[in-house]
Amino acid sequence: MGAGHSHAPTDHAAPTAQALAARARANWILAAILIPLTLLTLAAMAMMWPSGSKESIKLASPYAAAPGVTFDTGKIQRVVTGSCMEGARTGGAGGDAAGDAAGQAAPQGSECTFAFTEPDKGGNPVKVVINPDVAKSHGVKVGDLIRYLNLSKAPGASEAQGSPAYVFVDFVRTLPIIFLAVLYAVVVIAVARWRGLRALIGLLGAYAVLVTFMLPGLVEGKPPLLLALVGSTVIMIGVLYFAHGFSARTSTALLGTMFGLGITALLAAWATDAANLAGVGSHDSATLANISDNISISGIILCGLIISGLGVLNDVTITQSSAVWELWELAPETSARQLFTSAMRIGRDHIASTVYTIAFAYAGAALPILIIVMLYERPIGDALTSAELSEEVIRTLVGSVGLVLAIPVTTLIAVLVVKATGLRGAGLKNAGDVAPGGGQLAASTASTAYDGGAGDRAYDGGARAGRAGGDDAGPAGGRGRRSAVRR
C-alpha cells in the first residue's frame, strides 16, 4: 500500500541547479529580445510625442452658446403634446447652434412634445420642447433628467414672439453610467481579485496613452501606422505586465502579441490603401477633414483598424501562453511536438470563439447601418463592399487574421521557453527515475485527461504506473488525477 512512506519531499522537491540554470537562460533570452524592443518603442514614443498645440484647428463646439444662452439641467414633471405653430422660430436669438436646435425642435404645421421640467438650480417648471426624432424614437417620461437650452435671456428673445425659450439637448446619463461602472469594477474584483484590480488600473493607463499620445498625434498629422504600432505596443507592455506580473508566461504572451500587432498593422495599411477607405460616408469624418489639413481620415481609419483588435489579441495570447504552462505542469515529460499539438487543440477552439466575438461585436455596433443597407435591397456583394459597410468588414477580417496567426506563434514560443527550463524546472521529481516506464505512462495519461476531461483515466494511469514500477510511481498518477480535477 505504501502507507508508511512519505512522499512530500518528492512532490515539493526544490529545483536542481541544472533546472535553475536552464530557467535563468530562458529568462535571459526573453529579456534580450523584449528589453531592446521596449526601449526602442519608448524612444519612438518620445520622438513622436505630440506638442498639444491646437492653434490651427477651428471647430465650433455644439455646446458653445451665445451670450445670455445657457445649458441647464432638470427633471421632467409632466409631458404634453400640442401644436408646434407657436414654437416656430424665425431668428437665431441664441446663436446658430441654438437656432438650428430650436428650428429642428419646432417644425411648423405639426404636433410637438413638450416636457414641463423643474430646473436643478431651482425655480418654477419650464416648458421644454422635445426634438421630434427623440420623441418618436425613444420618447421622454416623467422623472427623466434632461439637459436643455435656455434661450429665455438671450438678446432679442423678447422680440422673437412664438419662439421656444427652452429646447431639449440631451438626456443626463451620469447616474446609470456611474452605477454600471461601479458594478463592473465590483464584479471584476470579486471574481479576479487583485489581478482584476490590476487589470482595471491597467485599462485606465491604456486610455491615458490613447488620449495623451495617439489621439493628439493623429490631430497633428503624425505617421498613423507608426503611431498606432508604438502606442499599441506601449499599451500591451503596460497592461500585460501590470495585470499578470513579470514572468516567462507574460513575456511569451507579449512576444506573441507583438507579432500579431505587426501582422495586423501591415494588413491594415495595405487594406486601407487597396480598398480606398476614405471615410467619406461619415459626417464626423467630413467634419474632421474640413477643420485641419494635418488630419488624415484614412490615417485615422488605419489607426482604428489596429487599435480595435488589441483586446482580443491580448486575450488569445495570454490564454495560449498559460495553456502551454498548465499542460506542461500536468505532463512535464511530454515532448515539444506533443505539447504544441495539445496546446493548439485549445487554440483552435479559441480561434473559433474569438472570430465570432469580433464579427458580432462589429455587427452590433453597426446595426443601424445594416438595417439601412437591408432596406435598400442591394445585392449582398454590393452591400458588403459599400462605403457604409466596407470599413467594418475590413476591420473584422484584418483583426481576425492577426489574432489567428498570433495563436500558433505564441504557442510555439511558449513551448520553446517551457522546454528550455528543463524537466525539473517546476521542482517535480519524475516517477520514471524510480520506475522506468511507469512515470511516462502517468504523465501521458494526465495530458489526455486535460484534453478530454477524463480525470479517472489519469488516476488509472497512475495506478498502472504504481503496479509497474512500485509504490514510488504511484504519486505521479495521484498528481495527475489531482491536476485533472483542478482543471
Side-chain angles (χ1 to χ4, degrees), residues 139-352:
V140 293
K141 61 184 183 296
V142 174
D144 284 345
L145 299 176
I146 63 172
R147 186 183 304 276
Y148 58 92
L149 198 64
N150 186 346
L151 304 171
S152 61
K153 298 180 181 179
S158 58
E159 291 82 6
Q161 297 296 328
S163 60
Y166 306 95
V167 181
F168 175 87
V169 175
D170 199 0
F171 292 95
V172 177
R173 305 179 180 88
T174 306
L175 289 179
I177 290 179
I178 290 177
F179 171 77
L180 288 175
V182 171
L183 177 63
Y184 173 67
V186 169
V187 170
V188 169
I189 295 173
V191 176
R193 300 185 181 181
W194 286 111
R195 183 165 296 183
L197 177 61
R198 293 199 301 267
L200 292 175
I201 298 174
L203 182 61
L204 295 178
Y207 275 109
V209 173
L210 180 65
V211 172
T212 61
F213 174 69
M214 301 179 76
L215 297 185
L218 289 172
V219 171
E220 295 183 11
K222 304 292 184 182
L225 179 62
L226 187 59
L227 189 75
L229 268 178
V230 171
S232 299
T233 303
V234 170
I235 288 174
M236 286 295 97
I237 292 173
V239 166
L240 282 171
Y241 281 125
F242 190 77
H244 302 282
F246 289 91
S247 66
R249 295 191 191 199
T250 309
S251 298
T252 300
L254 180 58
L255 280 177
T257 302
M258 288 182 173
F259 174 83
L261 268 178
I263 295 296
T264 302
L266 291 176
L267 278 177
W270 174 83
T272 302
D273 180 64
N276 297 309
L277 298 181
V280 293
S282 169
H283 171 72
D284 295 331
S285 297
T287 301
L288 289 175
N290 292 327
I291 64 173
S292 175
D293 294 334
N294 293 329
I295 298 178
S296 169
I297 302 303
S298 60
I300 293 176
I301 294 174
L302 168 60
C303 196
L305 292 178
I306 298 173
I307 295 174
S308 60
L310 285 182
V312 182
L313 185 60
N314 169 35
D315 176 29
V316 298
T317 54
I318 196 68
T319 301
Q320 280 304 111
S321 178
S322 295
V324 170
W325 256 268
E326 293 298 326
L327 287 171
W328 176 75
E329 288 176 358
L330 286 172
E333 280 193 344
T334 305
S335 67
R337 181 185 296 274
Q338 291 174 330
L339 189 58
F340 179 84
T341 302
S342 297
M344 279 305 299
R345 280 198 288 270
I346 301 172
R348 292 187 190 98
D349 290 336
H350 208 175
I351 287 172

Side-chain angles (χ1 to χ4, degrees), residues 390-412:
S390 58
E391 185 178 334
E392 299 298 333
V393 171
I394 290 175
R395 181 180 288 111
T396 301
L397 297 176
V398 167
S400 298
V401 170
L403 74 90
V404 168
L405 292 180
I407 286 179
V409 171
T410 304
T411 304
L412 178 61

